[in-house]
Amino acid sequence: MNDQFNQRNAAWRSAQQWRARAQSSSRWRGPKLFLAWLVFGVMMIIGLVVALVFLLVGWLAMPFLRRRMRKRTEEMRARAEQAARHGRGDTRRSRGNVIEGDYSVESNDGQSDPKR
């Protein structure tokens, strides 16, 4: 009874056909497997070489990046010192950053604050 059910089952017949094809092509299984491992090994070696090249380029670029970062840090530090001097009112050395234009200063000599 089980054989009759399996013979009518489309999935079972398909699986039996796949099994028959796999067993009939068993003489090519060894060379195909060897070729697949060979291709896989070559791809791994190529990937390793590319990774090592990128690693080497990164190591060679580190001194240049370090120099650039040091310059940028020094510029930012100089700007911060200049801003601190300007905030303290010591503008002797920071006269180059004066904004041109007309200004008026209103003094609030003990009068009530207009914002209230």
Side-chain angles (χ1 to χ4, degrees), residues 13-64:
R13 280 183 287 159
S14 177
Q16 290 299 324
Q17 290 171 356
W18 274 96
R19 183 183 301 162
R21 272 190 248 143
Q23 287 175 353
S24 68
S25 65
S26 65
R27 67 184 180 117
W28 288 104
R29 192 180 331 189
K32 281 184 182 178
L33 187 63
F34 176 74
L35 185 63
W37 275 104
L38 185 67
V39 169
F40 178 73
V42 167
M43 293 296 287
M44 290 294 286
I45 290 171
I46 289 172
L48 180 66
V49 168
V50 169
L52 288 175
V53 166
F54 279 127
L55 181 68
L56 185 63
V57 167
W59 279 345
L60 292 176
M62 281 179 107
F64 299 112

Side-chain angles (χ1 to χ4, degrees), residues 4-114:
Q4 289 175 351
F5 176 75
N6 287 339
Q7 288 174 356
R8 283 184 286 150
N9 188 351
W12 186 85
R13 280 183 287 159
S14 177
Q16 290 299 324
Q17 290 171 356
W18 274 96
R19 183 183 301 162
R21 272 190 248 143
Q23 287 175 353
S24 68
S25 65
S26 65
R27 67 184 180 117
W28 288 104
R29 192 180 331 189
K32 281 184 182 178
L33 187 63
F34 176 74
L35 185 63
W37 275 104
L38 185 67
V39 169
F40 178 73
V42 167
M43 293 296 287
M44 290 294 286
I45 290 171
I46 289 172
L48 180 66
V49 168
V50 169
L52 288 175
V53 166
F54 279 127
L55 181 68
L56 185 63
V57 167
W59 279 345
L60 292 176
M62 281 179 107
F64 299 112
L65 291 174
R66 184 175 175 221
R67 181 171 172 246
R68 183 187 301 173
M69 291 300 291
R70 187 180 302 149
K71 280 184 176 182
R72 188 176 297 165
T73 304
E74 289 173 1
E75 287 175 5
M76 290 179 72
R77 187 176 296 135
R79 285 183 193 159
E81 288 175 4
Q82 186 178 15
R85 279 195 312 269
H86 187 69
R88 286 191 310 256
D90 183 17
T91 58
R92 289 177 296 196
R93 295 180 62 190
S94 63
R95 295 298 289 176
N97 284 339
V98 175
I99 300 174
E100 299 289 332
D102 296 327
Y103 298 97
S104 63
V105 177
E106 296 178 13
S107 65
N108 215 359
D109 298 336
Q111 297 174 0
S112 64
D113 192 6

